[in-house]
Amino acid sequence: MNDGSKKSRRRRSSSLLYQEPQESMEHLSDQAAIPNLNANWVNAKGAWAIHIVLIVALKILFSIIPGIQGDTSWTLTNITYMFGSYLMFHWVRGIPFEFNAGAYDNLNMWEQMDNGDQFTPAKKFLLTVPICLFLASTHYTRYDLTYFTINVLALLGVVIPKLPVSHRLRVSFFSGHPDDRYPDER
């Protein structure tokens, strides 16, 4: 059973949190060479209005489904918008275009926006929208404890990743430590 060739096993980290390291000079120069089309649209005209249009469309969609009460439709609108926002801004990393030599592959869209600066007008708006939607959905559910709990958990799931303390912080509960995913690249 023991053939004398001992392979060393790397001890897996038990930490659930992982801090993404800063980019190398190569990545920084690649990022500066070409504008990031993946994240620059948030500062374009009409980009902010689409969030309001999406929320109104979701509310109308859930309101016209038979059997769904008003308070349930507000909670479904809140959950759907928060899930979509989290998926778009915080879950997916990199960009869908192949013209920047992988300069943004380790950053999610929130970290790519405005070159990673915190509290820019676009980021303030995108932080305010979920909070306002939470307040509206809580009001229109008549402060029911069950709906409030669901809505506040959805809000926390979207707001916490937007805070500066969460910048470049990864929760490896679902995806594992990056070194464990690609062992051949070490």
Side-chain angles (χ1 to χ4, degrees):
M1 191 106 185
N2 189 354
D3 61 352
S5 62
K6 246 185 163 178
K7 289 184 179 180
S8 65
R9 268 185 79 161
R10 187 173 162 268
R11 186 174 177 268
R12 183 180 171 138
S13 173
S14 61
S15 175
L16 291 177
L17 298 177
Y18 168 70
Q19 186 73 32
E20 188 71 38
Q22 292 293 328
E23 279 90 14
S24 65
M25 289 303 293
E26 294 168 346
H27 277 112
L28 290 175
S29 63
D30 287 343
Q31 289 174 3
I34 300 173
N36 185 0
L37 301 177
N38 187 47
N40 287 347
W41 66 268
V42 295
N43 295 315
K45 289 183 180 180
W48 293 8
I50 194 66
H51 293 274
I52 307 305
V53 170
L54 277 171
I55 290 169
V56 169
L58 285 170
K59 177 62 177 120
I60 292 170
L61 174 72
F62 289 128
S63 294
I64 62 172
I65 297 175
I68 294 183
Q69 302 296 323
D71 44 4
T72 306
S73 73
W74 272 105
T75 300
L76 286 173
T77 300
N78 187 34
I79 290 172
T80 305
Y81 177 80
M82 302 290 185
F83 177 76
S85 175
Y86 181 81
L87 186 69
M88 181 175 176
F89 291 113
H90 305 290
W91 184 261
V92 178
R93 285 191 248 163
I95 63 171
F97 316 110
E98 278 298 323
F99 60 82
N100 67 353
Y104 297 99
D105 284 351
N106 61 342
L107 299 177
N108 59 37
M109 189 169 172
W110 186 261
E111 294 163 345
Q112 293 175 31
M113 287 173 32
D114 301 322
N115 296 322
D117 295 336
Q118 300 294 324
F119 302 118
T120 60
K123 286 187 174 182
K124 287 179 185 178
F125 174 78
L126 292 171
L127 182 63
T128 304
V129 170
I131 294 170
C132 291
L133 180 58
F134 163 75
L135 292 173
S137 62
T138 302
H139 174 74
Y140 287 112
T141 57
R142 296 180 298 278
Y143 305 102
D144 182 79
L145 182 61
T146 304
Y147 289 123
F148 175 80
T149 304
I150 293 168
N151 288 325
V152 78
L153 289 175
L155 176 71
L156 290 175
V158 170
V159 169
I160 290 174
K162 288 177 172 39
L163 298 176
V165 71
S166 299
H167 188 69
R168 295 177 165 274
L169 187 66
R170 306 286 185 257
V171 179
S172 61
F173 183 70
F174 298 111
S175 59
H177 195 280
D179 291 341
D180 294 340
R181 282 182 271 158
Y182 309 106
D184 297 336
E185 294 180 8
R186 280 182 265 160

